[in-house]
Amino acid sequence: MEYSISQLARISGVSARTLRYYDEIALLWPKRINSSGYRIYGAKEVNLLQQILFYREIGINLEEIKAIIYAEDFNLQEALENHLLQLSQEKKRIERLMSTVNDSIQALKGERTMTDNEKFAAFKQELIDDNEQNYGQEIRAKYGEKTVNASNAKMANMTEEQWLEFQHLGESINQKLAIAISDGNPASELAQEVCELHRQWLLFSWPEGHYSPEKHYNLSLMYVHDERFKAYYDGITPGAAEFLHKAIGIYTAMEN
């Protein structure tokens, strides 16, 4: 089956103007140009457009999409399977949130009781799931199944007060880190305050007795060497990951 640009626009919901733009940036070009000068798209192009829309839906920019779909090892079936997995995870996340909203409405109507822990269960589970998806393999290899499972259970069982304090600490760390890094001194009073807040933040999820200065310092090493952690902290302000690592090294007396 072949389609003109207007036909492909109609079946895909993507405007003809956007399809022409995709052609201009070499993201999606037509199979051929017919004798009348019209762009004609075939099955391959239809499949690639579907992939572009899937990747756009999950927030990937056009340059990254281009690199993905035109990589030598790109496999259409694997890509679709990955999309299905991500969408299934997103579906579970939304269903959890919907259930919490529904339970909250019923509680306000007096149709059921709802504990404070239940009010925040969906948000805590989302954080646990995100951590498992992004870092689960590494942290389980580093700390062991028992420790990670205990950490997840501790987070899941946080009270409302604990959850709000956990969130507040995370925000305070980021805000004060951005200020502390401006003077470039990881030994400064404010930088060391950030490290203390970071220790308190870790204790909300780390199992009892797990914390030690050495483990705190080793975690900070991941902020520098793991690109995912580094991207998070450097997203606060450039160089934040390295600065926090050095500050924690001083705080834990693991570095001079």
Side-chain angles (χ1 to χ4, degrees):
M1 191 72 179
E2 292 186 336
Y3 301 94
S4 67
I5 192 169
S6 60
Q7 290 172 326
L8 183 57
R10 186 169 61 252
I11 67 169
S12 68
V14 177
S15 70
R17 180 179 180 181
T18 297
L19 290 172
R20 285 192 289 270
Y21 174 67
Y22 286 172
D23 188 4
E24 290 172 11
I25 64 173
L27 178 61
L28 180 71
W29 51 88
K31 177 181 179 180
R32 61 187 175 88
I33 305 295
N34 70 10
S35 58
S36 300
Y38 291 109
R39 293 175 172 86
I40 302 297
Y41 297 84
K44 178 182 177 181
E45 292 71 39
V46 169
N47 287 336
L48 286 175
L49 178 58
Q50 184 192 44
Q51 288 302 307
I52 292 168
L53 297 183
F54 277 135
Y55 284 118
R56 289 291 284 165
E57 187 67 25
I58 59 177
I60 298 180
N61 65 50
L62 296 180
E63 281 300 316
E64 290 177 304
I65 294 173
K66 186 193 297 187
I68 293 170
I69 65 177
Y70 292 113
E72 289 185 4
D73 60 351
F74 178 74
N75 181 289
L76 180 59
Q77 181 176 328
E78 288 181 2
L80 288 169
E81 289 171 349
N82 286 332
H83 292 316
L84 181 59
L85 176 60
Q86 288 182 301
L87 290 169
S88 296
Q89 292 170 341
E90 180 65 8
K91 179 184 176 184
K92 289 179 182 177
R93 185 185 73 83
I94 292 174
E95 286 177 343
R96 280 199 303 267
L97 291 173
M98 289 177 63
S99 177
T100 300
V101 170
N102 184 59
D103 290 346
S104 299
I105 292 171
Q106 290 182 350
L108 287 173
K109 290 180 176 180
E111 297 174 357
R112 61 155 291 169
T113 57
M114 190 176 190
T115 66
D116 288 339
N117 192 51
E118 288 175 323
K119 293 176 183 177
F120 294 91
F123 302 107
K124 290 181 285 188
Q125 189 60 50
E126 182 177 355
L127 181 57
I128 291 169
D129 290 346
D130 285 346
N131 286 339
E132 283 286 355
Q133 181 178 347
N134 294 322
Y135 312 112
Q137 185 174 351
E138 293 93 328
I139 61 177
R140 288 180 183 279
K142 188 176 182 65
Y143 300 115
E145 294 285 335
K146 183 178 179 180
T147 298
V148 175
N149 289 340
S151 175
N152 288 343
K154 186 174 182 180
M155 184 172 290
N157 289 319
M158 282 185 193
T159 64
E160 176 186 5
E161 182 179 0
Q162 289 170 330
W163 172 252
L164 294 176
E165 179 62 17
F166 177 71
Q167 295 294 309
H168 175 70
L169 276 173
E171 293 169 2
S172 294
I173 289 167
N174 292 351
Q175 291 168 359
K176 293 185 178 184
L177 177 60
I179 298 171
I181 197 175
S182 63
D183 70 8
N185 181 11
S188 71
E189 183 178 345
L190 182 57
Q192 292 304 294
E193 180 185 345
V194 168
C195 296
E196 169 58 20
L197 292 176
H198 190 262
R199 183 190 69 83
Q200 294 176 22
W201 181 76
L202 291 175
L203 293 179
F204 274 92
S205 60
W206 281 16
E208 295 296 329
H210 182 71
Y211 179 86
S212 70
E214 183 179 4
K215 288 174 181 175
H216 194 174
Y217 176 75
N218 288 339
L219 177 64
S220 75
L221 283 171
M222 293 180 66
Y223 295 167
V224 177
H225 298 302
D226 189 304
E227 289 301 320
R228 295 163 298 180
F229 283 112
K230 191 173 189 299
Y232 171 77
Y233 282 106
D234 285 357
I236 298 170
T237 189
E242 181 67 31
F243 182 87
L244 180 58
H245 162 61
K246 289 180 178 178
I248 291 174
I250 296 168
Y251 176 80
T252 58
M254 300 297 292
E255 287 188 0
N256 296 323

